[in-house]
Amino acid sequence: MVVLTNPEKKPTFSIEKRLELINRSVARLKNVKTDCWDKLLADYIDKSGTCAIIKGLRAVSDFEYEFQMALANKALNPKAETIFIASKTENMYLSSSLVKQIGSFGGKIDSFVPKEILTDVKKVLMGGKK
């Protein structure tokens, strides 16, 4: 399950468009369901019947922040279990901010973005220019 949250309320794409892009990216994965939620993740556990939150980690700094979030979610909802998965070594440096910066300057982001949505992402990052 992919749960789309956006506490900052400032997406590059609308929430609906982001959900559509994620759905296109994971369409080949028949056991993946996507959803959108703008409240506490700890509350989503009960709403959805989810049994675990899975977080990808790139570096120790990610772990510190995500561990704090896991403890807060557990305090808010005792059923909220968090599982951490380390990224591949070749992706440890990668972040959405970095991809946005590279793409906004016309840099090659093909290896960072799923091919199913690459055109959409490039269009937005380049301000409609190709």
Side-chain angles (χ1 to χ4, degrees):
M1 170 164 314
V2 176
V3 178
L4 182 60
T5 61
N6 184 27
E8 296 174 7
K9 307 283 190 225
K10 297 178 189 173
T12 304
F13 295 100
S14 70
I15 295 296
E16 296 77 17
K17 183 66 174 178
R18 291 171 71 195
L19 196 56
E20 177 211 323
L21 295 173
I22 292 169
N23 280 326
R24 285 179 19 213
S25 298
V26 300
R28 69 188 179 288
L29 305 171
K30 300 304 177 197
N31 61 342
V32 173
K33 174 187 164 195
T34 60
D35 201 355
C36 197
W37 185 253
D38 63 355
K39 296 174 183 64
L40 292 173
L41 184 56
D43 292 339
Y44 187 80
I45 298 292
D46 291 328
K47 175 208 177 260
S48 65
T50 301
C51 61
I53 300 163
I54 300 174
K55 297 281 191 155
L57 302 175
R58 295 170 296 184
V60 173
S61 58
D62 285 350
F63 178 76
E64 291 172 11
Y65 174 77
E66 294 297 347
F67 187 66
Q68 182 181 13
M69 295 299 295
L71 292 174
N73 283 325
K74 189 75 165 170
L76 293 168
N77 184 341
K79 293 186 254 174
E81 297 293 341
T82 302
I83 299 167
F84 298 106
I85 298 178
S87 72
K88 292 181 179 179
T89 305
E90 62 264 24
N91 294 328
M92 290 185 88
Y93 67 93
L94 200 55
S95 69
S96 61
S97 300
L98 182 60
V99 173
K100 287 177 188 176
Q101 186 174 20
I102 293 168
S104 67
F105 286 105
K108 189 173 169 86
I109 59 170
D110 303 49
S111 62
F112 307 139
V113 177
K115 67 180 182 299
E116 297 86 357
I117 64 169
L118 184 60
T119 302
D120 298 83
V121 172
K122 283 182 176 179
K123 190 184 301 181
V124 167
L125 294 180
M126 293 299 294
K129 303 174 276 185
K130 282 217 174 182

